Amino acid sequence: MSTPSTVAGNGFSDNAIHPVEYRRVYVWELPVRVYHWINAVALVVLCVTGYLIGAPLRAFYAAEAYQQYWFGWVRFLHFLAAFVYVFNFAARLYWGFVGNKYSHWNAFFPLKKSQQQEIVDVIKADVLETRMHGPISTGHNALAGLIYFGTFLVFVFQTITGFALYSSMSNSWLPRMFTWIVPLMGGEFAVRFWHHLFLWFFVTFVIVHVYLAFYHDYIEGRGTVSSIIGGWKFDREKSGKAGNRK
Amino acid sequence: MGQSIWNSMEQKGYSRRDFLQFCAAAATAAGFGQTGVAQVVSAFEKKEKPAVVWMHFQECTCCSESFIRASHPIVLDALLDVLSLNYSETLMAASGFQAEKSLNDTIANNKGKYIVLVEGAVPTKDDGVYCMIGGKTAESILQTVAKDAAAVIAWGSCASNGCVQAAKPNPTGATPIYKLIDKPVINVPGCPPIADVMMAVVTHLLVLGQVPALDSQGRPKEFYGRRVHDTCYRRPNYDAGLFVEAFDDENARKGYCLYKMGCKGPVTYNACSVVKWNEGTSYPIQSGHGCIGCSEAGFWDNGPFYQHLPSFPGFGIESTADTVGTVVGIATVAGVAAHAVVTNIRKRKVIAEVHAEDQKES
Ligand code: HEM
Ligand code: HEM
Ligand code: SF4
Ligand code: SF4
């Protein structure tokens, strides 16, 4: 109780006598956290404006076109958020090579046996709600890492199709580099369809992701949610089991 | 052979004035501007007029129909009259063996100099039996004709990208021309293409003797470089978010944008909103109907004309990506909610377990 980094089971007298010790670990460095929240905001903006581009609201307050420009603004916001999102994502990819081990690119691939074991364990914990028995990574658990990797692939896909669509309305070099995508995918119509369809991937991802962040915060009990805000997580110090392995 | 366009016009009784008018119209059609007129005049005076063969395969002849409605009648007249249109199933007088002889002679006498205009796709399934002329398959005719051609133009969407002939399930294996021959093909898609665009492409070829600048899909940039949407006169309504909601509503009368009625202008590359149809009278959007994307590859299979995006495959005609996405989204929320409920029911047990374990370990 006297050590600052020690957490005592509240109310349980036994725990108070034999405290479980936790160590503070700085998991998500500032660039990762900044990336995360910029990305979250940009994606919400992209999803909302993208949806509106596909299915515009009936918002008439004017009779003549020159009196309003709301659809133009919606599209402008979409493109603005798109650029923020793409460069932010590029920065994160860079950080995957220079950041700490938790944000390193190899945390996203379950190449090690222990990571594969962890995937099974996490699926059991999430779906069957069993207790986690194996070690849990301090950073992303192996399943989360793999899913983020899949998500990154969708980021790339959405960027490619987005810029391909944008290339028909811009002369700047970046979108111009994507003109060849359009015939490759069978015309702008097809590109638009796929670009629109993947909107729903993001919607689904965000629902599950936010829920699981809360859920793991609860079952792991070591500050998962606050880690993406403040950067710190907690590892059990001397546990033989459910502690840190990385 | 060996005659120039001016020679043959003169013989037919056209005056010099008619000829110059024709040159001016042709220069305009091909987009040369005023300075280009002299170039056109000199080309038409000196250059030997090229032999032209117009092939018809799997098509509906709408391209020919469009062509003969070009808005500069003098250009058209002259072109039809003075071009050696040596072979064209729909327009020539000859038939049978005579017609075939004419085709063969043209090829033999003009090696490397004649122009081939192809209307229609070519069926490749079942050895090409679905389109045969004079006992020969369309494909073998195409190969023979294209072999020594100076230039090949694919008229319309059928020849350029398959159009209705190649629509799913494409029973005849209809194939666009550029996939069959190893020469560069000028694609002039549209169902049909705009008459003045066709005219301009031919004129360009005749005057400069070279292929106009093409985009990556072989279409003349001049006419297919921009989307119908980019130059549509309803565009300000689009940017303002003023949309027609039903074909007979007040907004339709006000001429708002047809985006929500499924207008394909934003995904269609064509010159309709600039050149327009029928001597520049109008074009579909101007008469209140959305663009159906007739010049885009696979437009028959791109879903309903009156829907912004195609239906989601396998979920019935009415369901779009949004319908499917909404269902998936709601199912996810429901799943997550159920999970949360179960978690809360088991809460006490889990907490007790955790504490017990902590105790054991410490
Ligand atoms: C990653 C998240 C993104 C989502 C969820 C998203 C979603 C959407 C949706 C749903 C549409 C409407 C499609 C339609 O029905 O016609 C759209 C249009 C579009 N998006 Fe995105 N998008 C994303 C990223 C991007 C990016 C990175 C770009 C790159 C510039 C981009 C550029 C465009 C363009 C140019 C359009 C067409 C706008 C128009 O009609 O003028 N998008 N987007
Ligand atoms: C639009 C919304 C969001 C998107 C697209 C998103 C996306 C992501 C991505 C891609 C990562 C991986 C980060 C990396 O390694 O670079 C991540 C991690 C994380 N996110 Fe989000 N996120 C969103 C919203 C949220 C919210 C609202 C919360 C919290 C309540 C949250 C909590 C977390 C946490 C805790 C992690 C670290 C997870 C771990 O330890 O494996 N996210 N998120
Ligand atoms: S009517 Fe069609 S082409 Fe014209 S602005 Fe609207 S969507 Fe674009
Ligand atoms: S408006 Fe669209 S559908 Fe109509 S002719 Fe032009 S390209 Fe074809």
Side-chain angles (χ1 to χ4, degrees):
Chain A
M1 275 277 244
S2 51
T3 12
S5 60
T6 298
V7 178
N10 30 345
F12 284 71
S13 52
D14 296 345
N15 264 22
I17 302 161
H18 303 288
V20 182
E21 290 191 8
Y22 280 86
R23 185 169 53 94
R24 270 170 73 152
V25 188
Y26 191 52
V27 181
W28 308 123
E29 296 153 291
L30 187 63
V32 175
R33 285 176 280 143
V34 169
Y35 154 77
H36 181 270
W37 293 110
I38 291 182
N39 188 48
V41 172
L43 269 178
V44 169
V45 173
L46 282 167
C47 287
V48 172
T49 53
Y51 181 81
L52 285 175
I53 291 171
L57 291 171
R58 307 175 69 147
F60 302 133
Y61 54 80
E64 296 298 334
Y66 71 87
Q67 292 164 316
Q68 66 180 29
Y69 192 68
W70 79 260
F71 199 59
W73 284 116
V74 167
R75 291 175 60 246
F76 174 75
L77 261 181
H78 192 79
F79 307 148
L80 184 72
F83 275 90
V84 170
Y85 150 87
V86 167
F87 287 109
N88 185 49
F89 178 46
R92 176 65 182 88
L93 292 183
Y94 168 72
W95 200 254
F97 294 93
V98 300
N100 67 14
K101 65 177 174 188
Y102 307 109
S103 54
H104 202 255
W105 64 267
N106 59 17
F108 296 91
F109 300 96
L111 299 177
K112 288 189 237 138
K113 188 96 193 140
S114 61
Q115 285 172 310
Q116 290 153 12
Q117 189 52 46
E118 189 183 43
I119 290 186
V120 177
D121 220 33
V122 173
I123 292 179
K124 276 199 203 142
D126 287 355
V127 179
L128 305 174
E129 301 208 4
T130 60
R131 285 265 299 127
M132 302 236 268
H133 290 297
I136 319 160
S137 306
T138 309
H140 302 308
N141 68 57
L143 179 66
L146 187 63
I147 289 173
Y148 295 142
F149 173 65
T151 313
F152 288 173
L153 288 184
V154 179
F155 284 6
V156 171
F157 179 84
Q158 203 69 347
T159 304
I160 291 175
T161 52
F163 274 110
L165 286 177
Y166 197 58
S167 69
S168 66
M169 37 189 112
S170 167
N171 285 323
S172 101
W173 60 274
L174 185 58
R176 284 275 118 207
M177 281 170 27
F178 293 86
T179 35
W180 56 279
I181 302 288
V182 174
L184 187 77
M185 289 183 73
E188 243 179 62
F189 198 72
V191 179
R192 205 170 261 267
F193 175 73
W194 287 108
H195 190 75
H196 192 118
L197 187 65
F198 272 89
L199 157 71
W200 295 101
F201 167 85
F202 289 99
V203 172
T204 316
F205 170 81
V206 170
I207 296 170
V208 175
H209 171 73
V210 174
Y211 177 73
L212 281 184
F214 282 80
Y215 178 67
H216 275 261
D217 190 85
Y218 162 69
I219 57 166
E220 292 179 27
R222 52 184 183 151
T224 306
V225 166
S226 83
S227 76
I228 203 70
I229 300 167
W232 298 90
K233 273 195 191 178
F234 300 92
D235 261 346
R236 269 172 193 247
E237 212 29 313
K238 47 180 193 164
S239 138
K241 279 182 161 186
N244 160 45
R245 268 306 123 82
K246 273 193 163 179
Chain B
M1 294 297 132
Q3 258 187 340
S4 73
I5 290 185
W6 163 235
N7 291 148
S8 77
M9 281 181 84
E10 210 177 11
Q11 272 170 23
K12 293 214 167 80
Y14 284 99
S15 70
R16 180 72 185 170
R17 189 191 188 85
D18 289 334
F19 171 69
L20 290 178
Q21 254 179 16
F22 160 66
C23 291
T28 317
F32 294 139
Q34 219 163 14
T35 45
V37 177
Q39 208 181 351
V40 176
V41 173
S42 105
F44 284 0
E45 270 173 344
K46 299 196 191 95
K47 268 197 206 137
E48 207 177 286
K49 65 176 185 175
V52 178
V53 295
W54 185 313
M55 311 306 298
H56 294 255
F57 298 127
Q58 283 179 303
E59 42 89 336
C60 71
T61 315
C62 79
C63 301
S64 300
E65 287 287 349
S66 178
F67 190 70
I68 59 176
R69 280 165 182 72
S71 57
H72 302 287
I74 186 157
V75 181
L76 178 76
D77 250 17
L79 281 182
L80 284 184
D81 269 0
V82 303
L83 279 182
S84 309
L85 196 54
N86 302 41
Y87 182 86
S88 158
E89 280 101 349
T90 34
L91 295 174
M92 68 189 166
S95 63
F97 291 114
Q98 244 183 334
E100 273 185 41
K101 181 167 179 309
S102 156
L103 178 62
N104 293 335
D105 289 351
T106 309
I107 295 175
N109 298 336
N110 296 280
K111 274 208 160 78
K113 285 192 283 191
Y114 62 93
I115 296 172
V116 178
L117 312 177
V118 184
E119 188 173 348
V122 169
T124 51
K125 255 193 209 153
D126 302 320
D127 300 324
V129 294
Y130 301 111
C131 180
M132 301 187 59
I133 302 160
K136 287 190 227 120
T137 65
E139 188 174 357
S140 70
I141 298 173
L142 174 70
Q143 299 297 3
T144 321
V145 174
K147 192 160 155 277
D148 295 312
V152 180
I153 299 183
W155 279 153
S157 290
C158 295
S160 306
N161 56 47
C163 202
V164 70
Q165 331 290 342
K168 282 180 193 128
N170 192 0
T172 65
T175 310
I177 305 309
Y178 75 90
K179 288 197 178 155
L180 296 172
I181 62 181
D182 43 21
K183 275 208 166 95
V185 174
I186 306 172
N187 285 324
V188 187
C191 189
I194 304 169
D196 298 311
V197 169
M198 301 172 80
M199 195 63 72
V201 173
V202 175
T203 310
H204 190 112
L205 209 56
L206 293 182
V207 174
L208 295 185
Q210 46 175 249
V211 171
L214 304 179
D215 67 7
S216 63
Q217 297 176 62
R219 304 173 297 193
K221 277 188 185 156
E222 214 169 310
F223 303 105
Y224 297 91
R226 308 198 69 191
R227 301 172 300 165
V228 170
H229 183 62
D230 292 323
T231 43
C232 177
Y233 77 104
R234 296 195 188 212
R235 179 62 190 261
N237 294 290
Y238 169 89
D239 289 325
L242 297 172
F243 299 108
V244 174
E245 306 280 341
F247 277 120
D248 53 359
D249 70 359
E250 182 59 25
N251 303 336
R253 268 189 293 279
K254 285 183 181 153
Y256 287 173
C257 164
L258 294 158
Y259 187 68
K260 288 176 92 169
M261 306 312 295
C263 179
K264 304 287 186 290
V267 291
T268 304
Y269 288 80
N270 208 341
C272 299
S273 39
V274 178
V275 178
K276 302 196 181 173
W277 291 78
N278 302 320
E279 305 181 32
T281 308
S282 178
Y283 71 115
I285 292 165
Q286 196 171 338
S287 33
H289 192 284
C291 167
I292 60 174
C294 75
S295 56
E296 286 294 305
F299 87 97
W300 291 102
D301 296 324
N302 279 346
F305 291 155
Y306 302 105
Q307 227 167 268
H308 168 58
L309 285 180
S311 308
F312 196 80
F315 287 81
I317 294 288
E318 294 294 318
S319 58
T320 60
D322 283 349
T323 334
V324 176
T326 310
V327 171
V328 171
I330 290 173
T332 314
V333 171
V336 161
H339 194 279
V341 169
V342 173
T343 308
N344 269 293
I345 291 172
R346 303 183 60 242
K347 197 159 84 183
R348 284 177 179 285
K349 191 160 157 266
V350 173
I351 294 174
E353 250 173 45
V354 169
H355 284 254
E357 202 168 297
D358 284 355
Q359 240 172 340
K360 216 166 36 195
E361 277 168 14
S362 35

